[in-house]
Amino acid sequence: MSPLRNRNLSVMPLQEFVLDGFGGGPQTQALLFALFLALYVVAVLGNLTMIVVITLDARLHSPVYFFLKNLSFVDLCYSSVIAPKALATFLSSSKVITFEGCATQFFFFSLLVTTEGFLLAVMAYDRFVAICSPLRYPITMRPSVCARLMLGCYSGGSFNSILQTSFTFSLPFCSSNHIDHFFCDVPPLLKLACADTTINELLLFGLCGLIIVGTILVIFISYGYITVTILRMCSGGGRHKLFSTCGSHMTAVSLLYGTVFVMYAQPGAVESMEQGKVVSIFYTLVIPMLNPLIYSLRNKDVKDALRRLGQRHTAT
């Protein structure tokens, strides 16, 4: 991005940004508010339900559900980083967010969405060990190993978030402080910079691409071995159960990686703001809403746990 196009604007330390969102009149804003609120409420209720059910039901205290509970926690957190502020801006004439608030929102969003990418790869590895080496599974995926894997996911997310946040918010911004988005994200922020953002765009494309390619390789290799193992099984019922279990995970992977790739890991992604806003709705609200439904509706153990919890509540 050339700094020349902004040379008529004065460089000044900004104290606040304005989130332009989707534009439109009061009716449009009201419709957007209703849509975002519905998606957010379902996401919160769904993910809280998964966390509570997995925590309370002793039969779900296994590595696969430990990771699923963490996935619900991450989904709950990163949708909560975005939705409340977006809802407030839809109803308010003032769409201001402070510089510090913008940086904080971006930091936690980047941390959590990257952590989810690593976590989906870890979940694929967990399924690989469970299906391909069932006798070694209790030792390989013992609680201490699961805890270290989760720590690795959060560490990877923190590393990416610290780099992206520090590089983005160290840029000089022009007197135009209007962010063409409904939350603070890299592409619209780079458009406000009064300096050459080539390094930032290369960092965004390169680091996100590296994370996506690396985690997808883990997922594909894991599922390659899983597929071979399942096809060797004699029992048709066993095949169906395993394919059903893995299908939930692959659906979640496809949703997240498809939208993130469109937004961050392709050349020219920074330039398409209108497309970016629509895509952003999917990975900030729709995916956190769908993940609990995907795993609960397709998972017999979770449905049985929900039934037991409901019966226990009715009995009391």
Side-chain angles (χ1 to χ4, degrees):
M1 183 184 297
S2 173
L4 294 178
R5 68 183 183 92
N6 289 323
R7 65 184 180 183
N8 59 318
L9 296 174
S10 59
V11 180
M12 55 181 293
L14 292 178
Q15 300 299 316
E16 59 187 29
F17 291 102
V18 177
L19 296 169
D20 286 342
F22 290 91
Q27 288 186 332
T28 302
Q29 297 299 306
L31 286 172
L32 288 169
F33 176 85
L35 173 64
F36 273 58
L37 181 61
L39 292 174
Y40 181 56
V41 168
V42 175
V44 169
L45 292 177
N47 285 294
L48 279 177
T49 300
M50 292 294 289
I51 292 170
V52 170
V53 168
I54 294 171
T55 301
L56 295 181
D57 196 305
R59 301 184 195 185
L60 300 183
H61 292 178
S62 61
V64 61
Y65 294 108
F66 168 77
F67 294 127
L68 182 54
K69 183 168 75 170
N70 276 276
L71 178 67
S72 292
F73 174 74
V74 171
D75 279 339
L76 176 64
C77 289
Y78 90 70
S79 61
S80 297
V81 168
I82 304 300
K85 182 61 181 177
L87 289 169
T89 58
F90 290 141
L91 292 183
S92 173
S93 57
S94 173
K95 303 179 184 297
V96 169
I97 183 170
T98 64
F99 184 90
E100 293 77 12
C102 187
T104 302
Q105 184 187 59
F106 173 73
F107 174 83
F108 282 107
F109 169 71
S110 179
L111 185 156
L112 292 163
V113 76
T114 308
T115 298
E116 177 150 336
F118 285 120
L119 178 53
L120 289 173
V122 167
M123 291 172 74
Y125 173 72
D126 171 74
R127 293 297 81 205
F128 158 72
V129 178
I131 294 170
C132 299
S133 304
L135 297 179
R136 297 173 54 191
Y137 182 70
I139 298 175
T140 305
M141 300 303 292
R142 59 189 181 275
S144 60
V145 172
C146 293
R148 285 197 293 269
L149 287 170
M150 274 310 310
L151 179 61
C153 292
Y154 282 109
S155 298
S158 298
F159 176 74
N160 179 56
S161 182
I162 289 169
L163 276 181
Q164 298 286 359
T165 305
S166 58
F167 270 78
T168 301
F169 287 90
S170 62
L171 288 168
F173 293 101
C174 299
S175 56
S176 175
N177 64 342
H178 285 255
I179 298 176
D180 188 17
H181 216 304
F182 62 89
F183 72 99
C184 294
D185 201 6
V186 173
L189 282 166
L190 294 186
K191 285 184 169 292
L192 304 182
C194 296
D196 187 359
T197 59
T198 302
I199 293 178
N200 297 76
E201 292 180 27
L202 287 174
L203 178 70
L204 175 66
F205 176 66
L207 196 54
C208 290
L210 183 64
I211 292 170
I212 290 173
V213 170
T215 51
I216 281 182
L217 275 176
V218 172
I219 293 168
F220 279 178
I221 292 171
S222 297
Y223 275 99
Y225 281 106
I226 288 170
T227 302
V228 171
T229 302
I230 291 176
L231 292 176
R232 287 175 178 171
M233 287 183 173
C234 298
S235 169
R239 288 183 187 178
H240 176 74
K241 182 179 179 180
L242 290 176
F243 271 125
S244 176
T245 302
C246 296
S248 299
H249 182 253
M250 285 306 296
T251 302
V253 168
S254 301
L255 287 170
L256 179 69
Y257 280 92
T259 53
V260 169
F261 179 83
V262 169
M263 189 64 191
Y264 300 109
Q266 58 171 329
V270 172
E271 299 298 328
S272 49
M273 287 296 103
E274 293 306 315
Q275 177 193 24
K277 292 178 194 177
V278 176
V279 172
S280 296
I281 296 175
F282 279 86
Y283 66 77
T284 56
L285 288 169
V286 175
I287 291 175
M289 178 199 70
L290 288 177
N291 277 345
L293 298 176
I294 291 169
Y295 281 101
S296 62
L297 294 177
R298 294 176 60 92
N299 191 303
K300 183 177 182 298
D301 292 337
V302 173
K303 287 189 285 188
D304 290 343
L306 283 167
R307 192 178 302 111
R308 287 192 296 270
L309 188 63
Q311 291 171 351
R312 191 187 313 171
H313 178 72
T314 303
T316 56

